[in-house]
Amino acid sequence: MHEYLGAIITVTSIAIVMVISPGQDFAMITRNSLIYSRRAGIIGSFGISVAIWLHVMYSLAGIALIISQSEFLYSLIKYAGAFYLAYLGIKGLLHKKGNGKNNDHQESKATLSDSRAFKAGFISNALNPKTTLFFLSIFTQVVTPETPIYMQVIFGAIISIAHLIWFIIVAVVLSSQAITSRIETFKVWIERVMGTILCLLAAKIIMS
């Protein structure tokens, strides 16, 4: 495996830079962690990590090369992701603060089911054009026809684990007592701000 050490270092370095750069996955985990709970953020992180393997599988199947040469297929993925972000963003913008103490209490206890939290993270990454471009780059530049399958799987594992670790850290930090105690009364506005950010990300994807 030592002959692939350079490729492993390259993939790891690019994966770290990619995962910490703000994007739709970061916005998704931030939203879930601040608005709902640490659990929602962490489960969403697992959804993102699992979605990485979707990219790995189509790359191993050679579909990455097809996508890179087909403007229609790439555009299809890009616009699907943009519309999903826009949908979540609009939901956030339309979020209304309840009237009365009882409603405020219910709002502060708003929860997101495990399945929905996982699905949000999974879909966010699966339809993330930045991730698609990343895998197109990795599997067309770093990976060669001579690269064994097990090494390609290792590359995928590195990328998946990097995403999982980073977004769990984000979820834990943003859902800490020090932060949540300060934002409790501003949740509705945070939801709207995050909704605006998601809509802007969608617009950026569509315009790019």
Side-chain angles (χ1 to χ4, degrees):
M1 186 185 294
H2 65 277
E3 64 266 32
Y4 296 105
L5 182 60
I8 291 175
I9 294 174
T10 298
V11 171
T12 302
S13 300
I14 297 175
I16 292 174
V17 172
M18 172 200 174
V19 73
I20 65 176
S21 63
Q24 66 189 62
D25 291 341
F26 184 84
M28 177 70 62
I29 297 303
T30 297
R31 173 181 178 272
N32 284 1
S33 301
L34 288 177
I35 303 303
Y36 296 106
S37 65
R38 173 175 296 179
R39 182 182 180 88
I42 291 176
I43 292 178
S45 301
F46 277 95
I48 291 174
S49 180
V50 171
I52 289 295
W53 289 100
L54 179 64
H55 299 289
V56 173
M57 287 189 292
Y58 72 60
S59 297
L60 291 175
I63 299 177
L65 182 60
I66 297 175
I67 294 176
S68 68
Q69 297 177 347
S70 172
E71 184 176 348
F72 172 76
L73 286 177
Y74 177 71
S75 296
L76 188 64
I77 295 174
K78 180 174 76 171
Y79 291 129
F83 285 129
Y84 178 67
L85 287 180
Y87 164 73
L88 293 175
I90 291 172
K91 282 184 62 178
L93 289 172
L94 296 179
H95 183 78
K96 295 181 179 180
K97 184 178 179 64
N99 296 318
K101 294 182 179 180
N102 188 52
N103 286 337
D104 288 342
H105 176 74
Q106 289 178 354
E107 180 184 9
S108 68
K109 295 297 183 180
T111 59
L112 188 68
S113 68
D114 291 351
S115 60
R116 290 181 63 187
F118 183 89
K119 183 174 70 174
F122 183 88
I123 295 177
S124 174
N125 186 268
L127 298 179
N128 189 341
K130 185 179 77 170
T131 306
T132 301
L133 283 175
F134 174 70
F135 273 87
L136 292 179
S137 173
I138 291 296
F139 280 81
T140 57
Q141 301 300 321
V142 178
V143 177
T144 67
E146 291 75 33
T147 305
I149 295 296
Y150 76 87
M151 280 308 308
Q152 297 182 48
V153 172
I154 288 176
F155 293 156
I158 291 172
I159 300 167
S160 177
I161 293 172
H163 278 73
L164 180 61
I165 292 175
W166 170 249
F167 286 118
I168 285 180
I169 291 173
V170 171
V172 170
V173 171
L174 293 181
S175 61
S176 64
Q177 184 64 33
I179 293 179
T180 55
S181 61
R182 294 175 181 272
I183 66 166
E184 191 64 44
T185 58
F186 303 104
K187 275 190 174 182
V188 64
W189 295 108
I190 292 174
E191 178 80 355
R192 290 172 182 171
V193 169
M194 294 308 301
T196 300
I197 292 173
L198 290 172
C199 286
L200 290 174
L201 283 171
K204 179 181 178 182
I205 292 171
I206 293 174
M207 298 291 289
S208 63

Coordinates of all heavy atoms in Angstrom, one line a residue, residues 110-193:
A110 N -39.3 22.0 19.7 CA -39.5 21.4 18.4 C -38.4 20.3 18.2 O -37.3 20.5 18.6 CB -39.3 22.5 17.4
T111 N -38.8 19.2 17.6 CA -37.9 18.1 17.4 C -38.0 17.7 15.9 O -38.9 18.0 15.2 CB -38.2 16.9 18.3 OG1 -39.6 16.5 18.0 CG2 -38.1 17.3 19.8
L112 N -36.9 17.0 15.5 CA -36.9 16.4 14.2 C -36.6 15.0 14.4 O -35.7 14.6 15.0 CB -35.7 17.1 13.4 CG -35.6 16.8 11.9 CD1 -36.8 17.4 11.1 CD2 -34.3 17.3 11.3
S113 N -37.5 14.1 13.7 CA -37.3 12.7 13.9 C -36.0 12.2 13.4 O -35.4 12.9 12.5 CB -38.5 12.0 13.2 OG -38.3 12.1 11.8
D114 N -35.5 11.1 13.9 CA -34.2 10.6 13.4 C -34.2 10.3 11.9 O -33.2 10.6 11.2 CB -33.9 9.3 14.2 CG -33.6 9.5 15.6 OD1 -33.5 10.7 16.0 OD2 -33.5 8.5 16.4
S115 N -35.3 9.8 11.4 CA -35.4 9.4 10.0 C -35.3 10.7 9.1 O -34.7 10.7 8.1 CB -36.7 8.6 9.7 OG -37.8 9.4 10.0
R116 N -36.0 11.7 9.6 CA -36.0 13.0 8.8 C -34.7 13.7 8.9 O -34.2 14.3 7.9 CB -37.1 13.9 9.3 CG -38.5 13.4 9.0 CD -39.6 14.4 9.4 NE -39.5 15.7 8.8 CZ -40.2 16.8 9.1 NH1 -41.1 16.7 10.1 NH2 -40.0 17.9 8.4
A117 N -34.0 13.6 10.1 CA -32.7 14.2 10.2 C -31.7 13.5 9.3 O -30.9 14.2 8.6 CB -32.3 14.2 11.7
F118 N -31.8 12.2 9.3 CA -30.9 11.4 8.5 C -31.1 11.7 7.0 O -30.2 11.9 6.2 CB -31.0 9.9 8.7 CG -30.1 9.0 8.0 CD1 -28.9 8.7 8.5 CD2 -30.5 8.5 6.7 CE1 -28.0 7.9 7.8 CE2 -29.6 7.7 6.0 CZ -28.4 7.4 6.5
K119 N -32.4 11.7 6.6 CA -32.8 12.0 5.2 C -32.3 13.4 4.8 O -31.8 13.5 3.6 CB -34.3 11.8 5.0 CG -34.7 12.0 3.6 CD -36.2 11.8 3.4 CE -37.0 12.8 4.1 NZ -38.5 12.7 3.8
A120 N -32.4 14.3 5.6 CA -32.0 15.7 5.3 C -30.5 15.7 5.0 O -30.1 16.3 4.0 CB -32.3 16.7 6.4
G121 N -29.7 15.1 5.8 CA -28.3 15.0 5.6 C -27.9 14.2 4.4 O -27.1 14.7 3.6
F122 N -28.6 13.1 4.2 CA -28.3 12.2 3.0 C -28.6 13.0 1.7 O -27.8 13.0 0.8 CB -29.1 11.0 3.1 CG -28.8 10.0 2.0 CD1 -27.8 9.0 2.1 CD2 -29.6 10.0 0.8 CE1 -27.6 8.2 1.1 CE2 -29.3 9.1 -0.2 CZ -28.3 8.2 -0.1
I123 N -29.8 13.5 1.6 CA -30.2 14.2 0.4 C -29.3 15.4 0.1 O -29.0 15.7 -1.0 CB -31.7 14.6 0.4 CG1 -32.6 13.3 0.5 CG2 -32.1 15.4 -0.8 CD1 -34.0 13.6 0.6
S124 N -29.0 16.2 1.2 CA -28.2 17.3 1.0 C -26.9 17.0 0.3 O -26.4 17.7 -0.6 CB -27.9 18.0 2.4 OG -27.0 19.1 2.2
N125 N -26.2 15.9 0.8 CA -24.9 15.6 0.2 C -25.1 14.8 -1.1 O -24.3 15.1 -2.0 CB -24.1 14.7 1.2 CG -22.7 14.4 0.7 OD1 -22.5 13.4 0.0 ND2 -21.8 15.3 1.0
A126 N -26.1 14.0 -1.2 CA -26.3 13.2 -2.5 C -26.5 14.1 -3.6 O -26.1 13.8 -4.8 CB -27.4 12.2 -2.3
L127 N -27.2 15.3 -3.4 CA -27.5 16.2 -4.5 C -26.6 17.5 -4.4 O -27.0 18.5 -4.9 CB -29.0 16.6 -4.4 CG -30.0 15.5 -4.6 CD1 -31.4 16.0 -4.5 CD2 -29.8 14.8 -5.9
N128 N -25.5 17.3 -3.7 CA -24.5 18.4 -3.6 C -23.6 18.5 -4.8 O -22.7 17.6 -4.9 CB -23.7 18.3 -2.3 CG -22.9 19.5 -2.0 OD1 -22.6 20.3 -2.9 ND2 -22.5 19.7 -0.7
P129 N -23.7 19.5 -5.7 CA -22.9 19.5 -6.8 C -21.4 19.7 -6.5 O -20.5 19.3 -7.3 CB -23.4 20.7 -7.6 CG -24.1 21.6 -6.6 CD -24.7 20.6 -5.7
K130 N -21.1 20.3 -5.3 CA -19.7 20.4 -4.9 C -19.1 19.1 -4.7 O -17.9 18.8 -5.0 CB -19.6 21.3 -3.6 CG -18.2 21.6 -3.2 CD -18.1 22.5 -2.0 CE -18.4 21.7 -0.7 NZ -18.1 22.4 0.5
T131 N -19.8 18.2 -4.0 CA -19.3 16.8 -3.8 C -19.2 16.1 -5.1 O -18.2 15.3 -5.3 CB -20.3 16.1 -2.9 OG1 -20.5 16.8 -1.7 CG2 -19.7 14.7 -2.5
T132 N -20.1 16.3 -6.0 CA -20.0 15.6 -7.3 C -18.8 16.0 -8.0 O -18.0 15.2 -8.6 CB -21.3 15.9 -8.2 OG1 -22.5 15.5 -7.5 CG2 -21.2 15.2 -9.5
L133 N -18.5 17.3 -8.0 CA -17.3 17.9 -8.7 C -16.0 17.3 -8.0 O -15.1 17.0 -8.7 CB -17.3 19.4 -8.6 CG -18.2 20.1 -9.6 CD1 -18.2 21.6 -9.4 CD2 -17.8 19.8 -11.1
F134 N -16.1 17.2 -6.7 CA -15.0 16.7 -5.9 C -14.6 15.3 -6.4 O -13.5 14.9 -6.6 CB -15.3 16.7 -4.4 CG -14.2 16.1 -3.6 CD1 -13.0 16.6 -3.4 CD2 -14.5 14.9 -2.9 CE1 -12.0 16.0 -2.6 CE2 -13.5 14.3 -2.1 CZ -12.3 14.8 -2.0
F135 N -15.7 14.4 -6.5 CA -15.4 13.0 -6.9 C -15.0 12.9 -8.3 O -14.3 12.0 -8.7 CB -16.7 12.2 -6.6 CG -16.7 11.6 -5.2 CD1 -17.2 12.4 -4.1 CD2 -16.1 10.4 -4.9 CE1 -17.2 11.9 -2.8 CE2 -16.1 9.9 -3.6 CZ -16.7 10.7 -2.6
L136 N -15.6 13.8 -9.1 CA -15.1 13.8 -10.5 C -13.6 14.1 -10.6 O -12.9 13.5 -11.4 CB -15.9 14.9 -11.3 CG -17.4 14.6 -11.6 CD1 -18.0 15.7 -12.4 CD2 -17.6 13.3 -12.3
S137 N -13.2 15.0 -9.8 CA -11.8 15.4 -9.7 C -10.9 14.3 -9.2 O -9.9 13.9 -9.8 CB -11.6 16.6 -8.9 OG -10.2 16.9 -8.7
I138 N -11.3 13.7 -8.1 CA -10.6 12.6 -7.5 C -10.5 11.4 -8.4 O -9.4 10.8 -8.6 CB -11.2 12.2 -6.1 CG1 -11.0 13.3 -5.1 CG2 -10.6 10.9 -5.6 CD1 -9.6 13.6 -4.7
F139 N -11.6 11.0 -8.9 CA -11.6 9.7 -9.6 C -11.3 9.9 -11.1 O -11.3 8.9 -11.9 CB -13.0 9.1 -9.5 CG -13.2 8.3 -8.2 CD1 -13.5 9.0 -7.1 CD2 -13.0 7.0 -8.1 CE1 -13.7 8.3 -5.8 CE2 -13.1 6.3 -6.9 CZ -13.4 7.0 -5.8
T140 N -10.9 11.1 -11.5 CA -10.4 11.3 -12.9 C -9.0 11.7 -12.9 O -8.3 11.6 -13.9 CB -11.3 12.3 -13.7 OG1 -11.3 13.5 -13.0 CG2 -12.7 11.7 -13.9
Q141 N -8.5 12.2 -11.7 CA -7.1 12.7 -11.6 C -6.2 11.8 -10.8 O -5.2 11.4 -11.2 CB -7.1 14.2 -11.1 CG -7.9 15.1 -11.9 CD -7.4 15.3 -13.3 OE1 -6.2 15.3 -13.5 NE2 -8.3 15.4 -14.3
V142 N -6.7 11.6 -9.5 CA -5.9 10.8 -8.6 C -6.0 9.3 -8.9 O -5.0 8.5 -8.9 CB -6.3 11.0 -7.1 CG1 -5.5 10.1 -6.2 CG2 -6.2 12.5 -6.8
V143 N -7.2 8.8 -9.2 CA -7.4 7.4 -9.6 C -7.2 7.2 -11.0 O -7.6 7.9 -11.9 CB -8.9 7.0 -9.2 CG1 -9.2 5.6 -9.6 CG2 -9.2 7.2 -7.8
T144 N -6.4 6.1 -11.3 CA -6.1 5.7 -12.6 C -6.7 4.3 -12.9 O -7.1 3.6 -12.0 CB -4.5 5.6 -12.8 OG1 -4.0 4.6 -12.0 CG2 -3.9 7.0 -12.4
P145 N -6.7 3.9 -14.2 CA -7.2 2.5 -14.5 C -6.4 1.4 -13.7 O -6.9 0.3 -13.5 CB -7.0 2.4 -16.0 CG -7.0 3.8 -16.5 CD -6.4 4.6 -15.4
E146 N -5.2 1.7 -13.3 CA -4.4 0.8 -12.6 C -4.6 0.8 -11.1 O -4.1 -0.1 -10.4 CB -2.9 1.0 -12.8 CG -2.4 0.7 -14.3 CD -2.9 1.8 -15.2 OE1 -3.0 3.0 -14.8 OE2 -3.1 1.5 -16.4
T147 N -5.3 1.8 -10.6 CA -5.6 1.8 -9.1 C -6.5 0.7 -8.7 O -7.7 0.6 -9.3 CB -6.2 3.2 -8.8 OG1 -5.4 4.3 -9.2 CG2 -6.4 3.3 -7.2
P148 N -6.1 -0.2 -7.8 CA -7.0 -1.3 -7.4 C -8.3 -0.8 -6.7 O -8.3 0.3 -6.1 CB -6.1 -2.1 -6.5 CG -5.1 -1.1 -6.0 CD -4.8 -0.2 -7.1
I149 N -9.3 -1.6 -6.8 CA -10.6 -1.3 -6.2 C -10.5 -1.0 -4.7 O -11.1 -0.1 -4.2 CB -11.6 -2.4 -6.5 CG1 -11.9 -2.6 -8.0 CG2 -12.9 -2.1 -5.7 CD1 -12.5 -1.4 -8.6
Y150 N -9.7 -1.8 -4.0 CA -9.6 -1.7 -2.6 C -9.0 -0.3 -2.2 O -9.4 0.3 -1.2 CB -8.8 -2.8 -1.9 CG -7.3 -2.7 -2.1 CD1 -6.5 -1.9 -1.2 CD2 -6.6 -3.3 -3.1 CE1 -5.1 -1.8 -1.3 CE2 -5.2 -3.2 -3.3 CZ -4.5 -2.5 -2.4 OH -3.1 -2.4 -2.5
M151 N -8.1 0.3 -3.1 CA -7.6 1.6 -2.8 C -8.7 2.7 -3.0 O -8.8 3.6 -2.3 CB -6.4 1.9 -3.7 CG -5.1 1.2 -3.2 SD -4.7 1.6 -1.4 CE -4.8 3.4 -1.4
Q152 N -9.5 2.4 -4.1 CA -10.6 3.4 -4.3 C -11.6 3.4 -3.2 O -12.1 4.4 -2.8 CB -11.2 3.0 -5.7 CG -10.3 3.1 -6.9 CD -11.0 2.8 -8.2 OE1 -12.1 3.3 -8.5 NE2 -10.4 2.0 -9.0
V153 N -11.8 2.2 -2.6 CA -12.7 2.1 -1.5 C -12.1 2.8 -0.3 O -12.8 3.5 0.5 CB -13.0 0.6 -1.1 CG1 -13.8 0.5 0.2 CG2 -13.8 0.0 -2.3
I154 N -10.8 2.7 -0.1 CA -10.1 3.4 1.0 C -10.2 4.9 0.8 O -10.5 5.6 1.8 CB -8.6 3.0 1.0 CG1 -8.5 1.5 1.6 CG2 -7.8 3.9 1.9 CD1 -7.1 1.0 1.6
F155 N -10.1 5.4 -0.4 CA -10.2 6.8 -0.7 C -11.6 7.2 -0.3 O -11.8 8.3 0.4 CB -10.0 7.1 -2.2 CG -8.6 6.9 -2.7 CD1 -8.4 6.7 -4.0 CD2 -7.6 7.0 -1.8 CE1 -7.1 6.5 -4.5 CE2 -6.3 6.8 -2.2 CZ -6.0 6.5 -3.6
G156 N -12.6 6.4 -0.6 CA -14.0 6.8 -0.3 C -14.2 6.8 1.2 O -14.9 7.6 1.8
A157 N -13.6 5.8 1.9 CA -13.7 5.7 3.4 C -13.1 7.0 4.0 O -13.6 7.5 5.0 CB -13.0 4.5 3.9
I158 N -12.0 7.4 3.5 CA -11.3 8.6 4.1 C -12.2 9.8 3.9 O -12.4 10.6 4.9 CB -10.0 8.9 3.3 CG1 -8.9 7.8 3.7 CG2 -9.4 10.3 3.7 CD1 -7.7 7.9 2.8
I159 N -12.8 10.0 2.8 CA -13.7 11.1 2.5 C -15.0 11.0 3.4 O -15.4 12.0 4.0 CB -14.1 11.2 1.1 CG1 -12.9 11.3 0.2 CG2 -15.1 12.3 0.8 CD1 -13.1 11.1 -1.3
S160 N -15.5 9.8 3.5 CA -16.7 9.6 4.3 C -16.5 9.9 5.8 O -17.2 10.6 6.5 CB -17.2 8.2 4.2 OG -18.4 7.9 5.0
I161 N -15.3 9.4 6.3 CA -15.0 9.6 7.7 C -14.7 11.0 8.0 O -15.1 11.6 9.1 CB -13.8 8.7 8.1 CG1 -14.2 7.2 8.1 CG2 -13.3 9.0 9.5 CD1 -13.1 6.2 8.2
A162 N -14.0 11.7 7.1 CA -13.7 13.1 7.3 C -15.0 13.9 7.4 O -15.1 14.8 8.3 CB -12.9 13.6 6.1
H163 N -16.0 13.6 6.6 CA -17.3 14.3 6.7 C -18.0 14.0 8.0 O -18.5 14.9 8.6 CB -18.2 13.9 5.5 CG -17.9 14.6 4.2 ND1 -16.8 14.4 3.5 CD2 -18.6 15.6 3.6 CE1 -16.8 15.1 2.4 NE2 -17.9 15.9 2.4
L164 N -17.9 12.8 8.4 CA -18.6 12.4 9.6 C -18.0 13.1 10.8 O -18.7 13.7 11.7 CB -18.5 10.9 9.8 CG -19.2 10.3 11.1 CD1 -20.7 10.6 11.1 CD2 -19.0 8.8 11.2
I165 N -16.7 13.1 11.0 CA -16.0 13.7 12.1 C -16.3 15.2 12.2 O -16.6 15.7 13.2 CB -14.5 13.4 12.1 CG1 -14.3 11.9 12.3 CG2 -13.8 14.2 13.1 CD1 -12.8 11.5 12.1
W166 N -16.1 15.8 11.0 CA -16.2 17.3 11.0 C -17.6 17.7 11.4 O -17.8 18.6 12.2 CB -15.8 17.8 9.6 CG -16.2 19.3 9.5 CD1 -17.1 19.8 8.6 CD2 -15.6 20.4 10.1 NE1 -17.2 21.2 8.8 CE2 -16.2 21.6 9.7 CE3 -14.6 20.5 11.1 CZ2 -15.9 22.8 10.1 CZ3 -14.3 21.8 11.6 CH2 -14.9 22.9 11.1
F167 N -18.6 17.1 10.8 CA -20.0 17.6 11.0 C -20.5 17.2 12.4 O -21.4 17.8 12.9 CB -20.9 17.1 9.9 CG -20.7 17.8 8.6 CD1 -20.3 17.2 7.5 CD2 -20.9 19.2 8.6 CE1 -20.1 17.9 6.3 CE2 -20.7 19.9 7.4 CZ -20.3 19.3 6.2
I168 N -20.0 16.1 13.0 CA -20.3 15.8 14.4 C -19.8 16.9 15.3 O -20.4 17.3 16.2 CB -19.8 14.4 14.8 CG1 -20.7 13.3 14.1 CG2 -19.8 14.2 16.3 CD1 -20.2 11.9 14.5
I169 N -18.5 17.3 15.0 CA -17.9 18.4 15.8 C -18.8 19.6 15.6 O -19.1 20.3 16.6 CB -16.5 18.7 15.3 CG1 -15.6 17.5 15.6 CG2 -16.0 20.0 15.9 CD1 -14.2 17.6 15.0
V170 N -19.2 20.0 14.4 CA -20.1 21.1 14.2 C -21.4 21.0 15.0 O -21.8 22.0 15.7 CB -20.4 21.3 12.7 CG1 -21.4 22.4 12.5 CG2 -19.1 21.7 11.9
A171 N -22.0 19.8 14.9 CA -23.2 19.6 15.6 C -23.1 19.8 17.2 O -23.9 20.4 17.8 CB -23.8 18.2 15.3
V172 N -22.0 19.2 17.7 CA -21.8 19.2 19.1 C -21.5 20.7 19.6 O -22.0 21.1 20.6 CB -20.6 18.3 19.5 CG1 -20.2 18.5 21.0 CG2 -21.0 16.8 19.3
V173 N -20.7 21.4 18.9 CA -20.3 22.7 19.2 C -21.6 23.7 19.2 O -21.8 24.4 20.1 CB -19.2 23.3 18.3 CG1 -19.0 24.8 18.6 CG2 -17.9 22.6 18.6
L174 N -22.3 23.6 18.1 CA -23.4 24.5 17.9 C -24.6 24.2 18.8 O -25.5 25.0 19.1 CB -23.9 24.4 16.4 CG -22.9 25.0 15.4 CD1 -23.5 24.9 14.0 CD2 -22.6 26.5 15.8
S175 N -24.7 22.9 19.3 CA -25.8 22.5 20.2 C -25.3 22.6 21.7 O -26.1 22.1 22.6 CB -26.3 21.1 19.9 OG -25.2 20.2 20.0
S176 N -24.2 23.1 22.0 CA -23.7 23.2 23.4 C -24.6 24.1 24.2 O -25.2 25.0 23.6 CB -22.3 23.7 23.4 OG -22.2 25.0 22.9
Q177 N -24.7 23.9 25.5 CA -25.5 24.7 26.4 C -25.2 26.2 26.3 O -26.1 27.0 26.3 CB -25.4 24.2 27.8 CG -26.3 24.8 28.8 CD -27.8 24.5 28.5 OE1 -28.1 23.5 28.0 NE2 -28.6 25.5 28.7
A178 N -23.9 26.5 26.1 CA -23.5 27.9 26.1 C -24.2 28.6 24.9 O -24.5 29.8 25.0 CB -22.0 28.0 26.0
I179 N -24.4 27.9 23.8 CA -24.9 28.5 22.6 C -26.4 28.4 22.6 O -27.1 29.4 22.4 CB -24.4 27.9 21.3 CG1 -22.9 28.2 21.2 CG2 -25.1 28.3 20.1 CD1 -22.2 27.5 20.0
T180 N -27.0 27.3 22.9 CA -28.4 27.1 22.9 C -29.2 28.0 23.9 O -30.3 28.4 23.6 CB -28.8 25.6 23.1 OG1 -28.3 25.2 24.4 CG2 -28.3 24.7 22.0
S181 N -28.5 28.2 25.1 CA -29.2 29.0 26.1 C -29.3 30.5 25.6 O -30.2 31.2 26.1 CB -28.4 29.0 27.4 OG -27.1 29.5 27.2
R182 N -28.4 30.9 24.7 CA -28.4 32.3 24.2 C -29.4 32.5 23.0 O -29.8 33.6 22.8 CB -27.0 32.7 23.8 CG -26.0 32.8 25.0 CD -24.6 33.1 24.5 NE -23.7 33.1 25.5 CZ -23.4 34.2 26.2 NH1 -24.0 35.3 25.9 NH2 -22.5 34.2 27.2
I183 N -29.7 31.4 22.3 CA -30.4 31.6 21.1 C -31.9 31.1 21.2 O -32.7 31.2 20.2 CB -29.8 30.8 19.9 CG1 -29.9 29.3 20.2 CG2 -28.4 31.2 19.7 CD1 -29.6 28.4 19.0
E184 N -32.3 30.6 22.4 CA -33.6 30.0 22.5 C -34.7 31.0 22.1 O -35.6 30.6 21.4 CB -33.8 29.6 24.0 CG -35.1 28.8 24.2 CD -35.0 27.4 23.5 OE1 -33.9 26.8 23.6 OE2 -36.0 27.0 22.9
T185 N -34.6 32.3 22.5 CA -35.7 33.2 22.1 C -35.5 33.7 20.7 O -36.4 34.4 20.2 CB -35.6 34.4 23.1 OG1 -34.3 35.0 23.0 CG2 -35.9 34.0 24.5
F186 N -34.4 33.4 20.0 CA -34.3 33.8 18.7 C -34.4 32.7 17.6 O -34.0 32.9 16.5 CB -32.9 34.5 18.5 CG -32.7 35.6 19.5 CD1 -31.9 35.4 20.6 CD2 -33.3 36.8 19.3 CE1 -31.7 36.5 21.5 CE2 -33.1 37.9 20.2 CZ -32.3 37.7 21.3
K187 N -34.9 31.6 18.0 CA -34.9 30.4 17.1 C -35.7 30.7 15.8 O -35.3 30.3 14.7 CB -35.5 29.2 17.8 CG -34.5 28.4 18.6 CD -35.1 27.1 19.1 CE -34.1 26.2 19.8 NZ -34.6 24.9 20.2
V188 N -36.8 31.4 15.9 CA -37.6 31.7 14.7 C -36.8 32.6 13.8 O -36.9 32.4 12.5 CB -38.9 32.4 15.1 CG1 -38.7 33.8 15.7 CG2 -39.8 32.5 13.9
W189 N -36.0 33.5 14.3 CA -35.2 34.3 13.4 C -34.0 33.6 12.8 O -33.6 33.8 11.6 CB -34.7 35.6 14.1 CG -35.9 36.5 14.5 CD1 -36.4 36.6 15.7 CD2 -36.7 37.2 13.6 NE1 -37.5 37.5 15.7 CE2 -37.7 37.8 14.4 CE3 -36.7 37.4 12.2 CZ2 -38.7 38.7 13.8 CZ3 -37.7 38.2 11.7 CH2 -38.7 38.8 12.4
I190 N -33.5 32.7 13.6 CA -32.4 31.8 13.1 C -32.9 31.0 12.0 O -32.2 30.8 10.9 CB -31.8 31.0 14.2 CG1 -31.1 31.8 15.3 CG2 -30.8 29.9 13.7 CD1 -30.6 31.1 16.5
E191 N -34.1 30.4 12.1 CA -34.7 29.6 11.1 C -34.9 30.4 9.8 O -34.6 29.9 8.7 CB -36.1 29.1 11.6 CG -36.8 28.3 10.6 CD -36.4 26.8 10.5 OE1 -35.4 26.5 11.2 OE2 -37.0 26.1 9.8
R192 N -35.3 31.7 10.0 CA -35.4 32.5 8.8 C -34.1 32.9 8.1 O -34.0 32.9 6.9 CB -36.2 33.7 9.2 CG -37.7 33.4 9.5 CD -38.4 34.6 10.0 NE -39.8 34.3 10.4 CZ -40.6 35.0 11.0 NH1 -40.2 36.3 11.4 NH2 -41.9 34.7 11.3
V193 N -33.1 33.1 9.0 CA -31.8 33.5 8.4 C -31.2 32.2 7.7 O -30.7 32.4 6.6 CB -30.8 33.9 9.6 CG1 -29.4 33.9 9.1 CG2 -31.2 35.2 10.1

